[in-house]
């Protein structure tokens, strides 16, 4: 099941994608079926972190496999009076014809390495840029933010409460999916639970308490209807003088005579660390040591860390707007750049030059590798030419691009290629992993492969992206050619 199944999203592109595609189609001096390669990569980790989490691949593959243009789509494009009639007629039977190579969804990723590579006829490759970036930028951003929040929670539950503050319904639903990949335990968004089999959770809103004549009656009615899942929102009037005492009273007078226990309370405002400590003592003194405390209200990794550093007594966090919008750093910044043109059997590398050093691209078709030491920890990533395989020798020389004058070698290391073929001639070559498998893959990498120093929030250790000497030489030669005006 997909959200709004009747929607055809094939028109999800910027106008200039279609304008360029039409131009390539009509250019009589080139073969309209020339193949090219585009890389998707990003330049900076969100929030100054040490890495990001790759998410959104499943929706990219859905888009590419189902891409087609309806009669209405063609009519609209014709009404713009921009595109040639032969091109519009060609679109009537269009299907994406390319291959996609990608890292597994849920991969820990770093700047400037290819997350996904499209190898396709030039027209096809140009048409899909916007949709690919839209999915990867959004979900990778939210998955990365969720991972940071989950780390701050130190093993306590984290639930996505963000739907009502998301930028629209799609952002809420696919944001919940990304948050689950990043480690959130559940979502309050029921449609996301239905679509992706994510556990759903929720309690009550202040309106429930405000509707009834008094707080005790509101709690009593809720507990009578939901005796096995009574988590009571205690901050509508006064947490310590009213909310918690009424919750305890309901536990004793309503639930215990039924043979039930109060599941917990939720605090949504005020000095959360202070209130949670006071509430915990009140619950414990009343014999409700098993009642949990859920905390919400504009939380993120920084506020959660602060609350716990102050000794806050919290069992679970409901995180809303700052997760679903990645409020502190809301732009992921992945880009889609041409890296090679394929002519006959030749691969012609392409490079983008900029006055800004960080915007100079890594050209050509390439292979990306993760390098592991004897302990199984990732020590760097490596770019090589397509015909290079560092696994073939015990020692492999590399160039540290920040110190290219130094001779450096990987010794006693193992290498894992990061990209794999996931779409061939427009069709998936194997089923996608389940959301649970993706989520477990994230956890496995963070628990066993990625150094704790890279997982710090402040001043994380830098993960290096190195190059083989041959790849580095190719890139430098291209830069020299551009300098000479070739």
């Amino acid at each position: 099941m997909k959200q709004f199944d009747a929607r055809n999203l094939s028109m999800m592109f910027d106008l200039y994608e279609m304008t360029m595609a039409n131009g390539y189609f009509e250019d009589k001096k080139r073969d309209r079926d020339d193949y090219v390669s585009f890389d998707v990569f990003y330049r900076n980790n969100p929030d100054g972190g040490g890495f990001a989490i790759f998410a959104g691949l499943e929706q990219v593959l859905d888009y590419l496999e189902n891409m087609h243009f309806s009669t209405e789509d063609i009519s609209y494009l014709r009404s713009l009076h921009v595109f040639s009639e032969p091109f519009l007629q060609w679109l009537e039977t269009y299907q994406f014809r390319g291959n996609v190579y990608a890292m597994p969804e849920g991969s820990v990723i770093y700047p400037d390495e290819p997350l996904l590579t499209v190898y396709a006829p030039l027209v096809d490759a140009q048409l899909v840029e916007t949709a690919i970036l839209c999915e990867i930028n959004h979900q990778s951003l939210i998955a990365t933010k969720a991972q940071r929040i989950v780390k701050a929670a130190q093993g306590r539950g984290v639930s996505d409460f963000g739907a009502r503050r998301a930028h629209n319904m799609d952002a809420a639903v696919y944001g919940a999916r990304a948050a689950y990949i990043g480690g959130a335990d559940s979502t309050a968004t029921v449609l996301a639970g239905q679509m992706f089999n994510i556990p759903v959770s929720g309690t009550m809103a202040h309106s429930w308490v405000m509707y009834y004549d008094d707080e005790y009656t509101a709690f009593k009615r809720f507990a009578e209807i939901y005796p096995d899942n009574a988590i009571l929102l205690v901050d509508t009037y006064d947490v310590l003088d009213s909310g918690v005492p009424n919750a305890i009273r309901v536990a004793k007078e309503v639930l215990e005579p039924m043979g039930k226990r109060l599941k917990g309370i939720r605090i949504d405002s005020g000095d959360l660390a202070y209130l949670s400590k006071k509430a915990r003592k009140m619950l414990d003194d009343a014999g409700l040591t098993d009642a949990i405390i859920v905390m919400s209200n504009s939380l993120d990794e920084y506020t959660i860390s602060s609350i716990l550093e102050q000794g806050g007594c919290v069992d679970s966090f409901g995180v809303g707007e700052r997760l679903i919008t990645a409020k502190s750093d809301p732009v992921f910044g992945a880009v889609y750049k041409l890296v090679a043109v394929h002519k006959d059997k030749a691969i012609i590398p392409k490079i983008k030059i900029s006055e800004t050093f960080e915007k100079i691209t890594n050209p050509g078709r390439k292979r990306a590798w993760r390098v592991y030491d004897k302990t199984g920890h990732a020590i760097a990533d490596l770019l090589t030419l397509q015909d290079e395989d560092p696994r073939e020798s015990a020692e492999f020389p590399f160039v540290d691009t920040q110190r290219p004058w130094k001779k450096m070698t990987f010794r006693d290391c193992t290498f894992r290629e990061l990209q794999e073929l996931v779409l061939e001639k427009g069709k998936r070559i194997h089923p996608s992993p389940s959301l649970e498998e993706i989520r477990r893959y994230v956890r496995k990498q963070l628990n066993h492969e990625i150094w704790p120093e890279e997982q710090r929030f402040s001043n994380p250790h830098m993960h290096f992206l190195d190059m083989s000497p041959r790849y580095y030489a190719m890139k430098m030669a291209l830069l020299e050619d551009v300098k000479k005006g070739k």
Side-chain angles (χ1 to χ4, degrees):
M1 173 187 172
K2 300 179 179 66
Q3 188 181 17
F4 307 125
D5 281 345
R7 294 188 302 174
N8 173 21
L9 298 177
S10 299
M11 297 274 279
M12 180 58 191
F13 42 66
D14 291 290
L15 178 63
Y16 78 165
E17 312 293 1
M18 182 62 80
T19 303
M20 286 188 286
N22 180 78
Y24 293 136
F25 185 90
E26 290 298 323
D27 186 352
K28 308 304 182 186
K29 294 184 178 181
R30 59 166 294 278
D31 183 345
R32 67 177 55 165
D33 289 329
D34 277 349
Y35 272 69
V36 295
S37 292
F38 278 80
D39 280 349
V40 174
F41 62 94
Y42 73 107
R43 297 189 176 102
N44 296 291
N45 292 316
D47 289 304
F51 59 89
I53 303 295
F54 179 44
L57 178 61
E58 175 71 10
Q59 283 63 52
V60 168
L61 299 181
D62 281 345
Y63 174 84
L64 296 176
E65 275 198 310
N66 294 287
M67 197 173 177
H68 67 280
F69 296 93
S70 67
T71 301
E72 288 183 349
D73 295 336
I74 301 298
S75 296
Y76 173 72
L77 293 172
R78 184 175 286 115
S79 75
L80 298 178
H81 303 293
V82 174
F83 310 110
S84 70
E85 192 59 31
F87 178 62
L88 295 175
Q89 292 174 4
W90 180 75
L91 288 179
E92 290 176 355
T93 57
Y94 177 81
Q95 289 183 312
F96 180 72
R97 299 172 289 171
N99 296 356
V100 172
Y101 302 82
M103 295 184 185
E105 189 164 12
S107 291
V108 171
I109 54 176
Y110 301 95
D112 299 316
E113 60 188 7
L115 314 178
L116 178 149
T117 298
V118 171
Y119 169 73
L122 179 56
V123 174
D124 299 65
Q126 197 68 71
L127 284 174
V128 299
E129 173 180 358
T130 303
I132 289 174
L133 291 180
C134 181
E135 292 294 349
I136 290 175
N137 273 319
H138 175 239
Q139 290 201 49
S140 297
L141 179 69
I142 304 305
T144 303
K145 188 65 171 180
Q147 188 279 322
R148 291 170 61 85
I149 290 169
V150 168
K151 180 175 176 59
Q154 301 177 27
R156 296 163 179 82
V158 172
S159 182
D160 154 46
F161 277 17
R164 69 190 65 192
R165 302 291 173 80
H167 292 139
N168 63 21
M169 288 188 278
D170 281 329
V173 171
Y174 292 101
R177 178 185 186 274
Y180 194 63
I181 287 173
D185 301 294
S186 60
T187 181
T189 306
V190 175
L191 181 56
Q194 181 188 26
M195 288 175 61
F196 305 120
N197 199 31
I198 301 171
V200 292
S201 62
T203 56
M204 60 168 64
H206 295 105
S207 56
W208 176 278
V209 181
M210 295 162 65
Y211 170 77
Y212 290 94
D213 291 340
D214 59 81
E215 188 175 55
Y216 173 76
T217 301
F219 288 175
K220 179 175 182 293
R221 294 285 186 267
F222 194 86
E224 289 169 342
I225 298 168
Y226 302 106
D228 295 313
N229 193 36
I231 297 180
L232 305 177
L233 181 59
V234 297
D235 74 319
T236 304
Y237 303 117
D238 187 294
V239 173
L240 301 180
D241 289 339
S242 174
V244 177
N246 279 324
I248 293 171
R249 183 181 169 193
V250 166
K252 299 297 183 181
E253 297 179 2
V254 179
L255 290 169
E256 290 185 6
M258 299 167 64
K260 305 292 184 180
R261 299 286 291 176
L262 176 68
K263 187 170 182 179
I265 62 171
R266 177 162 73 96
I267 305 173
D268 188 54
S269 62
D271 185 332
L272 299 179
Y274 170 80
L275 292 173
S276 69
K277 288 185 283 187
K278 291 292 186 179
R280 181 75 271 162
K281 186 177 188 308
M282 294 169 71
L283 293 169
D284 290 350
D285 289 347
L288 300 172
T289 57
D290 54 337
I292 67 172
I293 296 178
V294 179
M295 193 170 287
S296 51
N297 184 37
S298 297
L299 299 173
D300 60 16
E301 66 268 42
Y302 303 107
T303 54
I304 288 172
S305 295
S306 177
I307 289 165
L308 296 181
E309 286 170 1
Q310 296 173 59
C313 299
V314 189
D315 300 284
S316 183
F317 295 96
V319 188
E321 63 189 49
R322 297 188 184 184
L323 167 59
I324 208 67
T325 66
K327 182 180 178 181
S328 57
D329 195 352
V331 178
F332 190 70
V335 295
Y336 183 86
K337 297 299 182 184
L338 178 70
V339 294
V341 174
H342 302 259
K343 290 280 191 181
D344 298 322
K345 293 184 179 180
I347 301 175
I348 305 168
K350 297 290 182 177
I351 190 168
K352 177 186 180 294
I353 306 298
S354 172
E355 293 296 325
T356 304
F357 173 77
E358 292 78 11
K359 289 196 172 185
I360 298 174
T361 60
N362 288 323
R365 286 301 298 268
K366 61 190 76 71
R367 300 171 80 177
W369 307 84
R370 189 144 295 165
V371 187
Y372 299 89
D373 66 11
K374 290 181 178 179
T375 70
H377 286 95
I379 58 173
D381 284 5
L382 173 70
L383 298 182
T384 71
L385 297 176
Q386 278 197 300
D387 63 355
E388 294 183 281
D389 190 336
R391 297 171 297 188
E392 294 176 349
S393 59
E395 296 185 358
F396 191 84
F398 70 92
V399 176
D400 176 348
T401 58
Q402 296 189 3
R403 296 171 293 176
W405 58 88
K406 296 189 68 175
K407 291 185 177 180
M408 307 187 76
T409 304
F410 290 121
R411 293 183 177 88
D412 300 318
C413 293
T414 56
F415 300 84
R416 177 171 65 87
E417 190 162 9
L418 294 177
Q419 282 193 344
E420 60 182 4
L421 180 64
V422 293
L423 195 80
E424 187 171 27
K425 296 180 180 178
K427 299 298 178 185
R428 276 181 240 226
I429 62 172
H430 53 69
S432 297
S434 69
L435 199 58
E436 287 293 339
E437 289 171 326
I438 296 169
R439 175 182 163 90
R440 286 197 297 270
Y441 179 52
V442 174
R443 191 161 54 241
K444 172 181 175 293
Q445 294 168 91
L446 295 176
N447 289 344
H448 302 292
E449 298 180 11
I450 308 303
W451 289 99
E453 290 82 357
E454 288 186 13
Q455 300 185 46
R456 294 192 298 250
F457 292 159
S458 300
N459 301 313
H461 177 75
M462 181 180 179
H463 186 93
F464 291 98
L465 178 63
D466 298 314
M467 297 178 181
S468 72
R470 287 177 59 203
Y471 182 84
Y472 182 76
M474 181 270 289
K475 181 175 180 178
M476 293 301 105
L478 279 180
L479 288 171
E480 188 65 25
D481 286 347
V482 171
K483 181 179 178 181
K484 293 176 181 178
K486 291 186 178 181

